[in-house]
Amino acid sequence: MGGLLAREGTNTLRVQPPFKEEIYFYQVFVGKEVSSVFITPITNDTESKQRMYQNGTKRTSMAEYEQPIPFGKSWYQYEVTAGDGIHTKKYTLVITRATDDTVTDRK
């Protein structure tokens, strides 16, 4: 995987830590008023473009999709198969939606 972008409306959300191919766990924090997030997964291999799945649903690189976000933590696993069709890598994105106004890590 070459990147992971997230936004809510016109606001870009901070994916933490900043994306690096060798890091496999990421987080995003949103306020209680956010009911969905737009996510754009990016592969760094053109042959992997059509070989990416998020929790079993096929996703295309650079194709933004809307993900409903329930209150609390939601776990999303991305599995990307390399162009050789054999090697895979798994990345996890956890989106935490606040249940009240006490979330402090929404920057």
Side-chain angles (χ1 to χ4, degrees):
M1 204 161 167
L4 193 59
L5 306 175
R7 73 174 177 85
E8 182 270 317
T10 59
N11 299 319
T12 299
L13 299 172
R14 184 171 57 153
V15 176
Q16 300 174 66
F19 193 87
K20 290 185 180 178
E21 186 178 355
E22 64 275 2
I23 297 174
Y24 300 99
F25 182 84
Y26 298 90
Q27 296 185 81
V28 171
F29 298 91
V30 298
K32 68 179 182 180
E33 71 284 351
V34 177
S35 60
S36 66
V37 170
F38 292 89
I39 300 174
T40 305
I42 304 166
T43 61
N44 57 358
D45 177 348
T46 57
E47 293 180 12
S48 296
K49 186 175 182 177
Q50 300 295 326
R51 297 178 182 181
M52 180 173 20
Y53 292 84
Q54 178 241 323
N55 293 8
T57 300
K58 189 173 189 174
R59 300 292 183 194
T60 301
S61 180
M62 297 297 296
E64 181 180 77
Y65 65 92
E66 186 173 10
Q67 181 67 58
I69 306 297
F71 289 103
K73 289 186 177 186
S74 299
W75 294 71
Y76 305 97
Q77 186 171 71
Y78 293 84
E79 183 172 335
V80 182
T81 303
D84 64 10
I86 299 169
H87 296 92
T88 62
K89 288 187 179 180
K90 293 180 181 177
Y91 298 86
T92 300
L93 172 65
V94 176
I95 301 177
T96 302
R97 180 179 175 190
T99 56
D100 56 37
D101 292 326
T102 62
V103 171
T104 59
D105 198 8
R106 290 189 49 205
K107 298 176 184 163

